[in-house]
């Protein structure tokens, strides 16, 4: 899964998306703070591959992207919009293939601009990245080859507070970045990559101010770094990564301060949390582990609930095991005991 698979709907209820067998499923709270529904398929009856990209726009609509089998040995991308998690999502809409036809070329990423238009990014057969975006008056624009080469691992896509879209990809030689110059413009590749080697699959982007997005990634030495995108600025070392996978990141208010909260499955299997003042990496951050040990393929997500409390969730693919914890009503980042999501 790529993106924020734990979201808060407009009415305050939480929802989660996951891949189960050959379908994407959704679970949601029946009401804010109440038990959860059983998993139900979204996007209609089409079978999909076990890959999912999720993004939520400022209108709170969730955009889902996956690959589906088409003819023998080939696949195509599909998109669905979920306006409210407790309602039925739109059927999967075919987006085609970045190279017209063929097998899956890699995990997609999706983000939603300030106008509510989804932008889908995916590696292409040439080793670069292709994009297809929704048009202002409905429908989709064509597939566009954004160039680049040597792309590996999951992409990261984000919409800044400016409403403009940015995408990132790791290569053996550095990190590539594509940026929109104006709303609706085609994201353009930077002239030169950031000459820092990132572990594939560890990129995570977050809007951290009106001027900046911050890219988090783990370098080859296992250090978690933050990069604000300035061409002449080196990525800042934040702390040693707790584990090998990607971090989940969000902004939240902690004790009256704008903070960035990170969560990652640690080497121990438990979930590690760290927080620091947003864009002030020099203040330092430290991991604190929580909850039971989880399998290596467990996913971690962060959100805030309808009351503004920090919520963390873990999901183990293939098991339906969804666990959640909330921040306690006390100073600091003390968390309640993890609980299995109950259905009713």
């Amino acid at each position: 899964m790529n993106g924020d698979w734990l979201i808060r709907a407009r009415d305050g209820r939480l929802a989660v998306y996951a891949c189960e067998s050959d379908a994407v499923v959704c679970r949601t709270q029946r009401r804010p703070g109440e038990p959860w529904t059983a998993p139900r398929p979204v996007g209609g009856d089409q079978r999909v591959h076990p890959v999912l990209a999720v993004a939520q726009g400022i209108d709170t609509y969730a955009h889902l992207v996956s690959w589906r089998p088409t003819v023998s040995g080939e696949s195509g991308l599909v998109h669905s919009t979920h306006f409210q998690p407790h309602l039925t999502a739109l059927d999967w809409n075919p987006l085609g293939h970045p190279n017209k036809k063929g097998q899956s070329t890699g995990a997609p990423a999706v983000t939603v601009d300030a106008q509510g238009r989804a932008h889908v990014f995916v590696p292409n057969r040439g080793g670069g990245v292709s994009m297809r975006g929704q048009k202002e008056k409905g429908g989709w624009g064509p597939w566009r080859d954004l160039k680049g080469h040597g792309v590996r691992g999951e992409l990261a896509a984000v919409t800044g507070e400016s409403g403009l879209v940015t995408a990132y990809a790791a290569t053996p030689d550095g990190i590539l970045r594509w940026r929109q110059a104006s709303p609706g413009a085609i994201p353009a590749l930077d002239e030169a990559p950031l000459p820092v080697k990132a572990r594939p699959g560890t990129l995570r982007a977050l809007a951290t101010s009106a001027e900046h997005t911050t890219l988090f990634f783990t370098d080859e030495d296992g250090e978690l770094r933050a990069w604000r995108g300035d061409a002449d600025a080196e990525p800042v070392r934040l702390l040693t990564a707790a584990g090998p996978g990607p971090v989940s990141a969000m902004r939240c208010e902690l004790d009256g301060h704008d903070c960035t909260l990170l969560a990652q499955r640690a080497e121990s299997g438990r979930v590690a949390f760290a927080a620091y003042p947003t864009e002030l990496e020099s203040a330092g951050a430290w991991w604190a582990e929580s909850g039971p040990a989880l399998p290596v393929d467990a996913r971690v997500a962060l959100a805030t609930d309808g009351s503004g409390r920090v919520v963390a969730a873990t999901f183990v693919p293939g098991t339906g095991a969804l666990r959640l914890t909330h921040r306690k009503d006390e100073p600091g980042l003390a968390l309640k005991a993890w609980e299995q999501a109950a259905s009713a």
Side-chain angles (χ1 to χ4, degrees):
M1 290 184 285
N2 189 350
D4 295 321
W5 55 267
L6 170 68
I7 67 169
R8 185 184 72 226
R10 183 176 300 177
D11 63 2
R13 72 181 80 192
L14 297 171
V16 298
Y17 296 94
C19 298
E20 288 289 354
S21 185
D22 56 1
V24 172
V25 299
C26 175
R27 293 185 68 182
T28 184
Q29 293 175 317
R30 295 190 177 277
R31 289 183 177 83
E34 292 191 1
W36 292 68
T37 62
R40 64 188 191 282
V42 301
D45 298 328
Q46 296 182 48
R47 293 187 300 117
V48 296
H49 295 315
V51 59
L52 176 64
V54 186
Q56 188 176 29
I58 58 174
D59 52 13
T60 72
Y61 300 162
H63 291 259
L64 316 173
V65 179
S66 186
W67 285 96
R68 66 163 181 172
T70 52
V71 299
S72 178
E74 296 187 6
S75 301
L77 284 159
V78 287
H79 167 269
S80 175
T81 306
H82 211 171
F83 298 107
Q84 296 188 60
H86 65 287
L87 302 178
T88 301
L90 296 181
D91 286 350
W92 289 114
N93 174 52
L95 293 180
H97 192 285
N99 298 105
K100 296 186 178 180
K101 63 179 183 178
Q103 297 180 342
S104 164
T105 56
V110 61
T111 191
V112 186
D113 68 16
Q115 289 73 40
R117 298 173 295 200
H119 293 65
V120 177
F121 298 85
V122 66
N124 57 41
R125 205 154 45 220
V129 169
S130 293
M131 186 214 76
R132 194 173 187 191
Q134 288 181 314
K135 296 189 292 187
E136 186 174 0
K137 296 183 178 179
W140 291 79
W143 279 108
R144 302 182 185 278
D145 185 351
L146 303 184
K147 308 304 179 183
H149 67 277
V151 169
R152 57 181 186 172
E154 291 183 352
L155 312 176
V158 65
T159 297
E161 290 186 12
S162 64
L164 300 179
V165 167
T166 303
Y168 305 86
T171 76
D173 301 317
I175 295 175
L176 306 179
R177 179 179 61 177
W178 294 263
R179 292 181 290 175
Q180 275 187 327
S182 60
I186 301 169
L189 178 64
D190 286 354
E191 290 185 3
L194 175 69
V196 173
K197 296 181 180 180
R199 289 182 178 175
T202 65
L203 273 59
R204 168 69 176 173
L206 180 69
T208 50
S209 67
E211 298 80 18
H212 297 113
T213 62
T214 299
L215 177 70
F216 299 97
F217 64 92
T218 303
D219 66 18
E220 290 189 320
D221 297 321
E223 299 299 311
L224 182 62
R225 294 188 175 270
W227 183 53
R228 212 93 61 222
D230 295 327
D232 57 350
E234 291 288 327
V236 177
R237 181 196 175 277
L238 187 54
L239 72 176
T240 300
V247 296
S248 181
M250 64 172 270
R251 286 172 67 187
C252 59
E253 184 177 297
L254 296 177
D255 302 334
H257 300 283
D258 177 2
C259 291
T260 294
L261 176 62
L262 306 174
Q264 187 177 35
R265 180 190 175 276
E267 294 282 3
S268 66
R270 305 177 73 199
V271 180
F273 295 91
Y276 68 96
T278 296
E279 296 194 349
L280 193 61
E281 287 81 10
S282 60
W286 300 266
W287 294 115
E289 295 187 10
S290 174
L294 300 168
V296 69
D297 58 346
R299 298 287 184 167
V300 182
L302 296 168
T304 54
D305 65 13
S307 301
R309 294 182 303 170
V310 169
V311 182
T314 63
F315 179 79
V316 180
T319 68
L322 174 66
R323 293 182 174 87
L324 298 104
T325 182
H326 292 75
R327 183 190 176 204
K328 294 180 179 179
D329 294 326
E330 59 184 61
L333 191 58
L335 298 172
K336 296 183 177 181
W338 289 82
E339 295 182 349
Q340 188 87 17
S343 297

